[in-house]
Amino acid sequence: MSNPIYLDNAATTQMSDAVKEAMEPYLMENFGNASTMYSYGERAKEAMEHAREIIAHTLEAKPSEIYFTSGGSESDNWAIKGIAGEYKKKGRHIITSCIEHHAVLNSCGYLEKLGYSVTYLGVDAYGMVSPKEAEAAIRPETTLLTIMFGNNEVGTLEPIRQLGRIARGNGVLFHTDAVQAYGQLPISVQQEPVDLLSASAHKFHGPKGVGFLYLREGVKIPSFIHGGGQERGKRGGTENIPAIVGMGRAAELAAERLRMRLRREAMLRNYMIEKILHEIPESRLNGHPNKRLPGNISVSFRGVDGASLLILLEEDGICASGGSACNTGESRISYVIEALGIPEDYAAGTVRLTLSRNTTRAEVDATVASLKRNVARLKEI
């Protein structure tokens, strides 16, 4: 194939030209430090606060509830460790799920070493957390429930609204890792009972190395990075103005015609799933068939080595993955796939194909043709 086909948008997306253009003035001419009082600094601060307003508007939040970070992993760490430390007098118990991103799981593991108790909820065959099980796990000493909005590997959307209501009804704070969902789905913190939300710009065509944490007004959290008084004294360090401006522009673009783009992407996703399942024998879809991220397709092929399949796809000019980009290099079956109970003869042959607003029907057809040919080739071997 002459033109590469990029289908690993859950790992990262291509930064849009409009985002690059928005960032460029703050890389050179408007290079000021936002904490200074003269014109260079004032222009930088104005640009930063404009980006904060844009992001807040997309969530129906207040600008004062948005804190800039280096990305989703920092936001997750800050939310979990911060709430655990701030509310430890109430108790030292946290509830999460067994299929969370490593930023959540490893933060919880760190807290366990400090004497905290963590309940890891299981999931059903679709990768969905049970609200009843979440409520049953709540104790008097529980301070936080943290469940991802949509799973990065299999695409399943969790029952966030139900979980948030359960948490709020029991006096427990609720955090959601929305790194895969923000910019892909409409999210309103006025409708979703969320207290903390994490997001990362490079998942919605923005720059890498920048993200944000939404913190509901009234929820207390200590500083995560100690330094100067940046981010209202919550996160020390000179702000990355070009990246913040880029994230604001990316958020603005993602919000434009979001529902129309969502419908198109979901239709293309469903078209691809149907072609794979009908044209390739012994294939199966992982995750929920309907309640899933618009561009996520996780499929397994029986009796096939997924790593070998990915190499053959790359030879055809197709970029895909076996699951989370954070697991690259691991030979074992993904912990998410294991949690769903995927049969072992299928689990080893898992690939993840994630679409974006740039993906075309022709690219989908070419990818399915490559999968069909290479799965058959590997089975022959």
Side-chain angles (χ1 to χ4, degrees):
M1 296 180 185
S2 55
N3 295 318
I5 297 174
Y6 184 76
L7 294 177
D8 200 16
N9 289 281
T12 196
T13 56
Q14 181 182 25
M15 190 169 73
S16 70
D17 290 339
V19 169
K20 178 187 173 185
E21 289 171 9
M23 293 173 65
E24 282 176 343
Y26 299 91
L27 291 167
M28 298 301 292
E29 353 22 321
N30 298 326
F31 58 84
N33 187 319
S35 297
T36 57
M37 300 297 292
Y38 44 80
S39 59
Y40 281 113
E42 288 174 354
R43 284 198 293 271
K45 187 172 180 63
E46 285 173 5
M48 179 175 68
E49 295 310 320
H50 180 58
R52 200 187 310 273
E53 289 171 5
I54 290 171
I55 291 167
H57 180 72
T58 64
L59 288 170
E60 296 188 332
K62 300 175 183 177
S64 60
E65 296 174 314
I66 304 300
Y67 292 85
F68 296 127
T69 69
S70 64
S73 290
E74 183 189 330
S75 296
D76 286 344
N77 273 258
W78 187 11
I80 294 165
K81 295 173 184 175
I83 294 301
E86 185 68 30
Y87 294 88
K88 63 184 177 182
K89 288 185 179 179
K90 177 194 173 186
R92 293 182 172 226
H93 179 235
I94 295 167
I95 302 169
T96 188
S97 85
C98 64
I99 64 166
E100 297 296 311
H101 187 274
H102 278 126
V104 170
L105 295 177
N106 290 345
S107 292
C108 289
Y110 168 80
L111 290 171
E112 286 182 292
K113 293 177 182 177
L114 298 181
Y116 287 78
S117 174
V118 180
T119 296
Y120 297 91
L121 299 172
V123 293
D124 64 16
Y126 295 131
M128 193 168 289
V129 170
S130 164
K132 288 184 179 179
E133 289 182 13
E135 186 163 27
I138 294 174
R139 311 172 190 168
E141 65 270 25
T142 306
T143 57
L144 179 69
L145 171 63
T146 173
I147 302 292
M148 65 195 340
F149 206 108
N151 186 265
N152 51 311
E153 290 198 33
V154 298
T156 297
L157 296 174
E158 300 297 343
I160 296 301
R161 189 167 298 180
Q162 288 175 268
L163 292 167
R165 287 172 178 167
I166 287 168
R168 189 159 295 176
N170 286 274
V172 173
L173 292 174
F174 183 48
H175 165 253
T176 185
D177 176 340
V179 167
Q180 293 292 332
Y182 178 80
Q184 313 298 329
L185 298 167
I187 301 175
S188 166
V189 295
Q190 298 299 319
Q191 297 178 30
E192 310 294 347
V194 172
D195 297 301
L196 305 98
L197 179 148
S198 304
S200 187
H202 75 106
K203 305 294 187 178
F204 52 95
H205 302 281
K208 297 176 181 66
V210 65
F212 69 84
L213 176 67
Y214 160 76
L215 180 69
R216 187 179 293 280
E217 190 175 61
V219 176
K220 296 179 181 179
I221 195 168
S223 300
F224 191 56
I225 297 177
H226 298 95
Q230 292 90 351
E231 290 304 280
R232 285 145 286 160
K234 294 292 187 185
R235 185 184 187 272
T238 302
E239 301 93 344
N240 186 350
I241 300 301
I244 289 170
V245 168
M247 178 168 63
R249 182 63 175 134
E252 187 174 45
L253 291 169
E256 291 176 4
R257 305 175 71 185
L258 176 61
R259 293 184 185 276
M260 185 179 295
R261 180 166 52 81
L262 169 61
R263 284 195 298 271
R264 177 195 174 275
E265 217 166 288
M267 287 176 64
L268 197 58
R269 174 204 68 196
N270 293 341
Y271 170 73
M272 189 173 196
I273 290 171
E274 186 176 352
K275 280 183 72 70
I276 290 171
L277 298 183
H278 281 78
E279 296 184 19
I280 304 177
E282 296 184 306
S283 59
R284 59 167 290 156
L285 176 69
N286 304 317
H288 200 283
N290 303 311
K291 298 175 182 177
R292 65 187 304 122
L293 292 164
N296 183 293
I297 301 166
S298 172
V299 285
S300 297
F301 303 99
R302 186 180 183 187
V304 168
D305 177 61
S308 299
L309 179 56
L310 290 171
I311 292 170
L312 294 174
L313 287 174
E314 186 178 7
E315 289 178 358
D316 284 345
I318 299 165
C319 301
S321 68
S324 171
C326 306
N327 296 337
T328 300
E330 294 184 6
S331 58
R332 65 185 295 276
I333 294 169
S334 158
Y335 65 94
V336 175
I337 294 298
E338 285 185 339
L340 270 62
I342 307 299
E344 190 172 346
D345 55 344
Y346 277 92
T350 300
V351 296
R352 182 185 67 176
L353 307 154
T354 43
L355 321 180
S356 79
R357 65 192 184 198
N358 300 323
T359 307
T360 66
R361 190 182 178 103
E363 289 178 327
V364 166
D365 288 337
T367 300
V368 175
S370 175
L371 282 169
K372 188 175 180 179
R373 181 174 61 256
N374 288 312
V375 166
R377 180 180 170 186
L378 288 171
K379 285 190 174 185
E380 285 177 8
I381 294 171

